[in-house]
Amino acid sequence: MAEERSELNEMNTTQTDHEYGASEIQVLEGLEAVRKRPGMYIGSTSSSGLHHLVYEIVDNAIDEALAGYCDHITVEILEGDAIRVTDNGRGVPVDIQAQTGRPALEVVYTVLHAGGKFGGGGYKVSGGLHGVGGSVVNALSEWMEVRVHKNGQIYEVKFSRGNMTQEMTVIGTTDKTGTEVVFKPDPEMFDDTVYDYETLHRRMREQAFLNAGVHIFIADRRTGREAEESMHYEGGIREFVTFINQNKTPLHEQVIYMAGSRDDSMAEIAMQYCEDSYNEIIVSFANNVHTPEGGMHEEGLKRALTNVLNAYGKKAGIFKGEEKVSGDDCREGLTCVISVKLTEAQFEGQTKAKLGNSEMRTLVNAVVSDKLEQFLDENPAVGKAILEKALMANRAREAARKARENIRRKNALEGSTLPGKLSDCNERDPALTEIYIVEGDSAGGSAKQGRDSRFQAILPLWGKMLNVEKARADKIYGNDKLQPVITALGAGLGEDFDESKLRYHKVIIMADADVDGSHIRTLLLTFFFRFMRPLIERGYVYAAVPPLFKLVRGKTTRVAFSEEERDAISKEMRGGNPNVKVDISRFKGLGEMDYEELWETTMDPERRTLKRITMEDAVKADAIFNLLMGEKVEPRREYIERNAFKAVNLDY
Ligand code: TSJ
């Protein structure tokens, strides 16, 4: 029977007059569709899609935890970049389903959207971006094995590229219950099949914060990369806030926690202000899915926060006369995590990362209005500190506006002069021009010599950049490191940003693949994200991708952008003869390349690679920046050192 089924899975779809039932044809079409258009199911076939496979599987275990049957989840990266996910839940059901006549365990992996269709007892709230499950991962895996511990027995089923290669078989006995899934992503379906431990670790930590009490263990078992981490937070999103604020000084010790529910939905909010931050960090989730573009739950929070703080300022006699504070004032220095759970989440926006359900605005607004007022009444010292901070923000914003007006007036009188360090290009049409923002003096020199001055401008940056976190808009306006960037781009910043004045339609960050380079990239991206966001939203910002290796054989020189490419080129240059000598060296930085090399590998539009910066990249940079820019210096150093190498690909 197993063989017949795999034959069925491979048969041509036109062959319909067959002895198998219609439901099985459905099975075939389902998984073929996934392999034909994988992007529809997992977003993309890049690294992000590859990691998405793991989230899809883990989401099932999280569902089991939310249903109250599981409290330990293990995620392992195995040798060869296979993934194993194990939980101690009830185990996927193994009984025969009436509709298909097959064990549920087989159906889960062969029918699209089969997950959650049976049983029906669980409260299904978790779910990946696209709400698909084990069958999609199965379809995109070179092989996959599932073992279920249940009823004292171990059941096993195996697949290859979505086709069942071993039907459900009892392979032993057990005294435990749970589900184990092992899969190897199909190299035919993905650009790259190497997993990044930090990416998975970050996501699992997030899930551990969002699902208080669940133990999540993650391990990298690949030789030379061994790592592991155990995560478990009884405090849930309260501890998430503490984690985000770890390098900052809280304005009040206790994290404010608010929760409430209505019908089938619930909302939890945790927040804390920091005295040494002027930045707003709101991290929101719907059904455990991150919503970096915000949405209705964030709107509910903002509305309630502004109303409650204004009412309290008046009531507690903190405001003088007609004083009041704006929404922005109320969020300066705020770190807030919102998590809502609802039955039919609607994800909207460009990246489907924005929550559209308006009932969540009502719910979060109600919870915060009610609980925050109560908290402030019970903790007047905290109330006073928060209101005073908001008032300070209000005054600073006034001062900043005046400073901006002064500068505008000055510019109108004198005409704005371009920065002295800028080597501008000849072309004037922004659609045809690009600017390289280059780290370091020597690299700046080579870039200037190597460029095509008809359309490429160079702006070198050096020295430590301003700590954007601590600086308000007024300080940034006058800062001598960022000022040249602002004037060279010519479009202003903040509320005054005017895209039509942008002087270059490609803004290219060119920095080394080392710690300092990643620092500069993070700073610039964070700066653009906070003060020139349309620049990123409209796709004007790029990262240059300099090569990592240089290979020389006699008079022939080639470069490689990765270790894999280096090895391939080296083999090619030797032409199969191991005795041929190819000299391989590593570029330690941009400064080591002469101007011709820099032009050929990194700047020539015909030959270079540019990576367009997405909002997702910028959001990540912003988050890293927050982590890096706290008061305490040591954790920051360690963090940069640990991640410096990865920052090469902006893969934070
Ligand atoms: F993705 C997946 F399907 F492969 C998968 C599912 C992967 C992993 C790691 C875990 C799971 C999973 C599924 N863990 N626990 C469950 N539970 C059920 O499927 C289940 C068990 C019992 C009942 C019941 O009503 O008795 C219902 C369900 C949905």
Side-chain angles (χ1 to χ4, degrees):
M1 186 60 183
E3 254 156 30
E4 283 171 351
R5 282 178 59 85
S6 22
E7 188 193 311
L8 170 73
N9 282 337
E10 279 155 20
M11 89 181 182
N12 194 303
T13 35
T14 54
Q15 206 179 329
T16 45
D17 59 337
H18 198 275
E19 59 202 87
Y20 298 103
S23 64
E24 289 177 292
I25 303 280
Q26 212 54 54
V27 171
L28 166 85
E29 289 182 348
L31 293 195
E32 276 306 305
V34 178
R35 289 182 65 86
K36 246 185 213 131
R37 308 199 54 190
M40 289 256 297
Y41 299 88
I42 52 162
S44 81
T45 52
S46 66
S47 172
S48 137
L50 181 76
H51 289 80
H52 203 91
L53 298 181
V54 184
Y55 312 154
E56 287 295 344
I57 295 296
V58 171
D59 280 348
N60 289 276
I62 298 271
D63 281 345
E64 187 73 354
L66 288 171
Y69 298 103
C70 147
D71 61 359
H72 277 81
I73 300 171
T74 297
V75 178
E76 293 161 284
I77 310 174
L78 306 178
E79 200 70 73
D81 288 277
I83 297 285
R84 171 158 55 214
V85 182
T86 316
D87 73 20
N88 67 340
R90 291 168 294 177
V92 175
V94 293
D95 38 20
I96 305 288
Q97 281 195 301
Q99 313 97 290
T100 56
R102 300 298 313 166
L105 174 56
E106 291 178 5
V107 179
V108 182
Y109 297 96
T110 44
V111 181
L112 267 175
H113 299 289
K117 281 231 177 101
F118 43 75
Y123 179 41
K124 181 154 176 80
V125 291
S126 174
L129 200 56
H130 305 272
V132 288
S135 56
V136 168
V137 178
N138 185 20
L140 301 176
S141 293
E142 187 183 314
W143 53 263
M144 172 150 143
E145 300 176 4
V146 188
R147 279 172 285 277
V148 170
H149 291 237
K150 202 180 176 85
N151 314 326
Q153 306 205 282
I154 306 171
Y155 304 84
E156 184 183 64
V157 58
K158 295 184 182 180
F159 307 91
S160 171
R161 301 194 163 101
N163 304 313
M164 190 156 56
T165 53
Q166 177 196 299
E167 49 177 76
M168 192 176 83
T169 312
V170 174
I171 57 160
T173 58
T174 179
D175 55 4
K176 295 192 294 250
T177 67
T179 304
E180 174 193 348
V181 174
V182 193
F183 66 93
K184 163 89 179 93
D186 190 350
E188 289 173 10
M189 303 303 303
F190 293 93
D191 310 339
D192 174 17
T193 50
V194 180
Y195 275 103
D196 178 51
Y197 174 79
E198 265 315 311
T199 301
L200 293 180
H201 172 214
R202 206 171 30 238
R203 168 77 174 215
M204 292 310 128
R205 185 174 59 208
E206 186 180 285
Q207 292 300 316
F209 280 128
L210 290 168
N211 299 285
V214 180
H215 296 254
I216 303 184
F217 176 78
I218 178 164
D220 194 339
R221 309 288 189 206
R222 293 170 297 188
T223 317
R225 310 195 193 199
E226 292 85 353
E228 58 177 57
E229 193 91 24
S230 191
M231 293 156 297
H232 166 237
Y233 308 103
E234 283 298 338
I237 62 169
R238 292 179 199 80
E239 286 191 58
F240 203 163
V241 168
T242 307
F243 173 80
I244 297 170
N245 287 346
Q246 64 188 313
N247 296 333
K248 301 179 195 157
T249 315
L251 188 67
H252 48 101
E253 254 337 289
Q254 196 190 345
V255 174
I256 304 170
Y257 177 79
M258 302 163 274
S261 59
R262 186 182 172 158
D263 303 329
D264 274 346
S265 308
M266 60 184 220
E268 295 184 274
I269 301 101
M271 56 182 253
Q272 186 181 45
Y273 286 88
C274 288
E275 62 180 44
D276 54 352
S277 166
Y278 303 101
N279 183 33
E280 156 189 335
I281 306 172
I282 299 178
V283 189
S284 63
F285 299 85
N287 294 347
N288 289 342
V289 177
H290 188 23
T291 41
E293 290 184 58
M296 291 299 171
H297 45 357
E298 290 196 13
E299 284 189 23
L301 166 88
K302 291 178 183 176
R303 194 176 285 190
L305 193 62
T306 312
N307 289 339
V308 171
L309 292 190
N310 274 296
Y312 185 80
K314 210 171 199 172
K315 186 173 83 178
I318 298 167
F319 288 162
K320 292 184 204 73
E322 290 300 293
E323 261 182 339
K324 58 181 185 183
V325 286
S326 73
D328 286 334
D329 299 336
C330 293
R331 298 190 297 273
E332 239 189 55
L334 173 71
T335 298
C336 181
V337 174
I338 312 176
S339 168
V340 298
K341 293 189 173 145
L342 65 166
T343 40
E344 303 219 345
Q346 270 154 9
F347 294 102
E348 301 175 340
Q350 252 183 0
T351 55
K352 296 263 171 273
K354 181 176 182 180
L355 182 66
N357 306 65
S358 62
E359 70 274 16
M360 286 302 107
R361 184 177 54 207
T362 316
L363 176 62
V364 175
N365 187 5
V367 172
V368 175
S369 297
D370 188 31
K371 301 280 160 66
L372 184 61
E373 186 189 336
Q374 195 183 329
F375 176 89
L376 296 175
D377 285 339
E378 287 166 9
N379 300 273
V382 178
K384 188 157 183 268
I386 293 174
L387 262 296
E388 272 167 5
K389 184 166 172 77
L391 275 174
M392 286 276 286
N394 189 270
R395 286 170 205 140
R397 217 174 298 281
E398 270 305 304
R401 200 174 57 234
K402 287 195 183 118
R404 269 207 310 275
E405 266 162 22
N406 281 340
I407 289 187
R408 251 198 305 251
R409 212 169 299 130
K410 212 170 95 191
N411 283 350
L413 291 175
E414 299 170 0
S416 51
T417 40
L418 289 169
K421 288 188 296 177
L422 174 73
S423 304
D424 210 358
C425 52
N426 304 326
E427 175 59 54
R428 280 285 155 261
D429 179 358
L432 305 175
T433 62
E434 37 190 64
I435 181 168
Y436 276 82
I437 302 178
V438 186
E439 165 207 6
D441 253 343
S442 59
S446 310
K448 203 169 141 182
Q449 265 187 296
R451 70 178 174 147
D452 184 333
S453 61
R454 283 174 302 180
F455 66 96
Q456 290 180 319
I458 308 293
L459 181 66
L461 288 181
W462 60 80
K464 274 254 178 295
M465 297 262 293
L466 175 80
N467 181 338
V468 186
E469 170 91 5
K470 293 195 167 47
R472 290 201 175 92
D474 51 339
K475 291 217 192 96
I476 283 178
Y477 234 93
N479 178 263
D480 62 343
K481 296 296 185 300
L482 289 172
Q483 193 64 51
V485 178
I486 302 166
T487 33
L489 297 188
L493 75 171
E495 294 154 27
D496 303 329
F497 184 85
D498 181 355
E499 189 182 327
S500 71
K501 297 215 177 82
L502 186 62
R503 301 182 62 249
Y504 315 90
H505 283 189
K506 282 201 174 74
V507 178
I508 304 165
I509 303 173
M510 184 157 74
D512 279 339
D514 63 3
V515 180
D516 286 343
S518 98
H519 205 160
I520 296 264
R521 245 190 317 265
T522 305
L523 281 162
L524 273 173
L525 285 193
T526 304
F527 173 67
F528 290 152
F529 177 69
R530 291 190 190 166
F531 298 101
M532 300 188 185
R533 190 164 302 181
L535 207 61
I536 295 173
E537 284 170 339
R538 307 267 293 130
Y540 292 127
V541 186
Y542 299 81
V545 183
L548 292 176
F549 301 101
K550 177 171 172 175
L551 300 92
V552 182
R553 181 197 161 181
K555 287 204 177 71
T556 316
T557 302
R558 307 239 337 236
V559 296
F561 293 85
S562 68
E563 286 174 20
E564 291 77 31
E565 194 186 3
R566 174 198 63 194
D567 298 343
I569 291 176
S570 152
K571 205 165 146 190
E572 200 184 309
M573 289 174 92
R574 283 198 304 268
N577 182 350
N579 296 325
V580 172
K581 203 174 152 319
V582 175
D583 187 45
I584 302 178
S585 56
R586 183 181 258 280
F587 286 114
K588 289 199 197 67
L590 295 163
E592 271 194 6
M593 273 185 252
D594 62 36
Y595 70 92
E596 282 168 321
E597 279 171 336
L598 196 60
W599 163 255
E600 284 165 10
T601 62
T602 317
M603 298 181 70
D604 177 5
E606 299 290 318
R607 283 175 284 186
R608 73 185 174 192
T609 311
L610 289 184
K611 182 185 181 303
R612 180 177 257 159
I613 301 299
T614 63
M615 275 296 279
E616 202 181 346
D617 295 324
V619 168
K620 278 184 196 163
D622 188 68
I624 287 187
F625 194 92
N626 288 328
L627 205 65
L628 299 187
M629 288 307 147
E631 276 303 283
K632 300 161 201 159
V633 176
E634 264 321 295
R636 183 191 326 177
R637 264 186 70 84
E638 277 171 29
Y639 188 90
I640 299 177
E641 279 160 14
R642 232 178 329 119
N643 290 282
F645 185 66
K646 298 174 39 237
V648 173
N649 304 317
L650 277 163
D651 188 14
Y652 296 112

